[in-house]
Amino acid sequence: MGARLSFAGVFTNWGVATAIVVAGISLSAAQPSFPSPPSDAPTIDFPVPKPGATPGPTKSGAPSIDPRPPTESRPGRPEGQGVPTTLPRSVNIQLKVERDGRLTVIEQVIVQAKNTMTRVAPLRIGDRVFAVRDATVDGNGTAEATADTFTIKLGEGASTVKYTVDGAVADFGDHVQVRWQVANGWDTKLVFLRASLLTPKPGNDFVCLAGQSGTEDPCDSALIDSSGVLRVVQSDLDSGARVDLSATLPAGLVPANARFENVKAGAFALTPVSGAALGLLALLLLGGFGALWVARGRDTKAAAADVEPVEVLVTEGGRVVFASPDGVLPGQAGTVIDEVVDARDLTATVIDLAVRNYLWITESGEDWQVVRRNPADYALTDYERAVYQALLPEGTESVTVSALRSAPPNTADARSAIHADSVARGWLSRTPAKLRLAGAVLAVVGVAATVVLALTVGHALAGVALVIGGIALAVGARFLPARTKRGALLVQQVRGVHGYLKSVPPESVPAADRELVFSRSLPYAVALEEAEQWLSRFAALDVAADGTPGLYWYGTQDDAYDQARFAERFHALIDSVDGVFGKR
């Protein structure tokens, strides 16, 4: 109900009085073992109008009930057939608003034999704070009040509890309001409760609610007698339920003493600020998912499209030579295909440097020696120079593969350079990497913001939204294709090269040009995992057909070149160089 009740009038009598009487008779008859109260048991004066008096006004049109207490006989009922005031687990309550704004309360509680009853009443209801003082118990029990709760513990028999409530009167400008929960926090069901509220002058707009906190069910009966006293009757009040009573009095009749405290919502409570942050997060997640769906769909469609024929063999100066599409190099082809610079891309670059006469590779027992043949000039790309420098630093003329495996070169610069080169050519985008970094930063900022908000102004869910958004951004970026539209087109062309490697017959190339075509195509076969098929297809290659013995870029230990032995040793060379680059 909150502190600002706004109900008008008195709840109507729902005909419950008759049911209460019948229930009381049944309960009284069903429990003959309940002891009668001692002769000195305390009682409460429950004011009764004089005989013949007319009940006072109630809510317009509402019926009224006979205000006589249920201990008296009713017309047509034999003497003694009313509801007994000594019914076990019943409470009689008398409330009085004093001239100085205090609310004095007297409660008579009847506890069943061999049982106890405990009431733990909260003194903070919503943003309203009450205080209880001067609590005493006449009978079998104790009463204690703290800043947060008022606790009554009673043993069997009849006990009278007296206390004073501060904070029951609130100022609403043109009137004041008296409010108190006359019953709440009991650990047992109350069979019967009745209460009276006496004010300096008759009040109005009485409101009485019964039931669990938050419900708005009216009390069984709440009406005003001819003297302006509000009388409340309630039966069968569940354990922990409350009877919340309020009344409106004229402004200035008694001083207001209500105290209100803004209850700070939990740091992780849903507030307008945090709700807006979570709503924005939901919109961004939906938008990001849509963008990711479109990007991946475009990339998948490009990869699944039919491969157009790619002409990689061209005639220059009367000779047939290999020419890659869009000038893509072996290392670049592998990188654009899987969007990652891996060891095989660097290995293919080493073979390509040898094929293009920058390096010489020769067998040395079970090892290989890589020899500087021509300096790394500006005809090479930045990443090719980085690979060259990693293998043969300045001042080094040759190195064995076994030595490289023992002390692997640092290839970080080469990997960065090949990726940067693909980005510069418009094949790949840095967007996914930037988004991953942005997501990680956003998540860290979100964690810090969550802690700060939780310890200060609240709205910590706004910080949580940042954390979730950052994580989602970082994870989503991993699934975002790095290839651009031009990169997707290049993939189609590289797939065409792959088809060429798998299908071109050696006989279609003039014998004098086969060694060069075989050699220039070999690095692409390495990058695209087709080296074995390529070597098998050119198993009958005559390397002397160009007028020079052996391969022009690879030296063997045998005087006579053997293509089958070369294929076997070449596979071992590739695995060894992969091992060099795979370690760093």
Side-chain angles (χ1 to χ4, degrees):
M1 179 171 66
R4 295 166 175 78
L5 298 173
S6 60
F7 298 96
V10 181
F11 289 114
T12 60
N13 170 25
W14 299 94
V16 180
T18 302
I20 294 172
V21 173
V22 175
I25 294 172
S26 301
L27 288 169
S28 179
Q31 302 187 52
S33 61
F34 295 152
S36 299
S39 58
D40 59 349
T43 61
I44 293 180
D45 180 18
F46 202 92
V48 182
K50 295 180 180 181
T54 301
T58 62
K59 184 177 181 180
S60 177
S64 62
I65 64 171
D66 188 345
R68 286 176 292 174
T71 53
E72 299 185 18
S73 297
R74 304 295 173 86
R77 180 180 295 120
E79 185 71 23
Q81 292 301 307
V83 178
T85 59
T86 58
L87 191 66
R89 291 184 289 154
S90 65
V91 182
N92 298 329
I93 307 167
Q94 188 179 62
L95 304 101
K96 181 181 180 181
V97 179
E98 306 292 349
R99 290 286 183 179
D100 61 2
R102 293 175 297 127
L103 178 66
T104 55
V105 185
I106 302 175
E107 295 188 22
Q108 185 187 62
V109 185
I110 310 300
V111 182
Q112 188 172 356
K114 299 181 181 180
N115 281 270
T116 62
M117 290 176 62
T118 299
R119 179 187 182 189
V120 181
L123 297 180
R124 296 175 182 270
I125 303 174
D127 60 351
R128 190 162 178 174
V129 181
F130 298 88
V132 171
R133 57 185 172 87
D134 304 331
T136 61
V137 177
D138 183 7
N140 183 14
T142 61
E144 180 183 8
T146 66
D148 296 316
T149 57
F150 175 45
T151 304
I152 301 174
K153 296 181 179 180
L154 302 175
E156 64 179 54
S159 299
T160 300
V161 184
K162 298 180 180 180
Y163 56 92
T164 298
V165 179
D166 293 322
V169 181
D171 184 4
F172 287 90
D174 60 347
H175 67 276
V176 295
Q177 182 195 74
V178 179
R179 181 191 180 191
W180 178 242
Q181 291 192 350
V182 298
N184 61 345
W186 285 107
D187 65 349
T188 185
K189 182 177 182 179
L190 297 183
V191 175
F192 185 74
L193 175 147
R194 70 179 179 181
S196 67
L197 174 63
L198 180 63
T199 58
K201 287 185 179 181
N204 55 55
D205 287 343
F206 295 99
V207 177
C208 183
L209 301 180
Q212 298 296 333
S213 179
T215 61
E216 295 192 1
D217 297 328
C219 298
D220 288 347
S221 175
L223 52 87
I224 312 166
D225 65 17
S226 60
S227 61
V229 176
L230 174 66
R231 299 188 184 281
V232 173
V233 176
Q234 179 66 38
S235 62
D236 297 329
L237 188 68
D238 291 335
S239 171
R242 95 300 192 205
V243 173
D244 202 332
L245 184 63
S246 69
T248 296
L249 301 177
L253 180 62
V254 294
N257 55 15
R259 184 159 60 93
F260 296 89
E261 290 183 357
N262 291 328
V263 180
K264 183 179 179 181
F268 290 90
L270 184 62
T271 64
V273 173
S274 59
L278 291 174
L280 180 60
L281 170 65
L283 291 176
L284 291 177
L285 289 178
L286 288 174
F289 180 79
L292 179 61
W293 182 276
V294 171
R296 288 190 63 84
R298 181 201 68 200
D299 196 66
T300 301
K301 182 178 179 180
D306 293 336
V307 179
E308 297 293 334
V310 176
E311 190 66 42
V312 296
L313 296 180
V314 297
T315 302
E316 292 182 357
R319 303 197 62 179
V320 175
V321 297
F322 174 89
S324 65
D326 204 12
V328 64
L329 297 169
Q332 294 169 336
T335 300
V336 174
I337 287 291
D338 57 18
E339 303 179 359
V340 176
V341 181
D342 51 32
R344 182 52 59 93
D345 299 329
L346 300 179
T347 298
T349 299
V350 172
I351 302 302
D352 191 50
L353 289 174
V355 168
R356 289 157 58 197
N357 285 320
Y358 286 96
L359 300 175
W360 166 261
I361 299 175
T362 183
E363 296 176 4
S364 177
E366 295 300 316
D367 200 356
W368 295 266
Q369 191 168 18
V370 181
V371 181
R372 185 191 300 267
R373 195 169 194 176
N374 287 298
D377 54 28
Y378 287 98
L380 299 180
T381 63
D382 290 342
Y383 88 84
E384 289 176 312
R385 284 195 295 271
V387 172
Y388 190 102
Q389 183 67 24
L391 292 178
L392 298 173
E394 193 68 31
T396 302
E397 293 300 318
S398 67
V399 65
T400 61
V401 173
S402 60
L404 292 173
R405 288 176 63 90
S406 299
N410 190 331
T411 59
D413 291 343
R415 293 175 186 272
S416 297
I418 191 172
H419 187 271
D421 185 83
S422 297
V423 171
R425 294 174 184 269
W427 297 327
L428 298 180
S429 170
R430 293 189 184 275
T431 300
K434 291 179 179 178
L435 290 179
R436 286 196 296 271
L437 177 60
V441 172
L442 186 62
V444 172
V445 171
V447 170
T450 301
V451 174
V452 172
L453 291 173
L455 296 177
T456 55
V457 298
H459 314 302
L461 284 179
V464 174
L466 287 178
V467 175
I468 296 174
I471 294 175
L473 185 61
V475 172
R478 292 184 176 277
F479 295 95
L480 184 67
R483 277 188 295 269
T484 62
K485 289 183 178 181
R486 183 177 178 182
L489 177 61
L490 179 64
V491 168
Q492 291 289 302
Q493 294 173 325
V494 171
R495 289 177 63 199
V497 174
H498 191 267
Y500 151 78
L501 294 172
K502 295 179 65 174
S503 61
V504 63
E507 296 79 14
S508 65
V509 181
D513 299 330
R514 286 177 192 170
E515 179 183 342
L516 183 60
V517 169
F518 165 78
S519 297
R520 292 300 303 271
S521 302
L522 186 58
Y524 293 88
V526 172
L528 300 178
E529 305 288 347
E530 279 295 325
E532 183 174 357
Q533 292 291 334
W534 186 248
L535 290 169
S536 176
R537 182 166 290 104
F538 279 81
L541 174 67
D542 180 9
V543 295
D546 61 353
T548 59
L551 290 175
Y552 68 90
W553 56 273
Y554 184 92
T556 64
Q557 298 180 12
D558 299 328
D559 293 336
Y561 176 84
D562 183 85
Q563 181 71 359
R565 184 182 181 282
F566 168 76
E568 179 182 344
R569 294 294 293 158
F570 186 77
H571 287 310
L573 170 64
I574 295 303
D575 291 340
S576 295
V577 178
D578 279 347
V580 171
F581 294 128
K583 292 184 178 181
R584 295 293 292 271

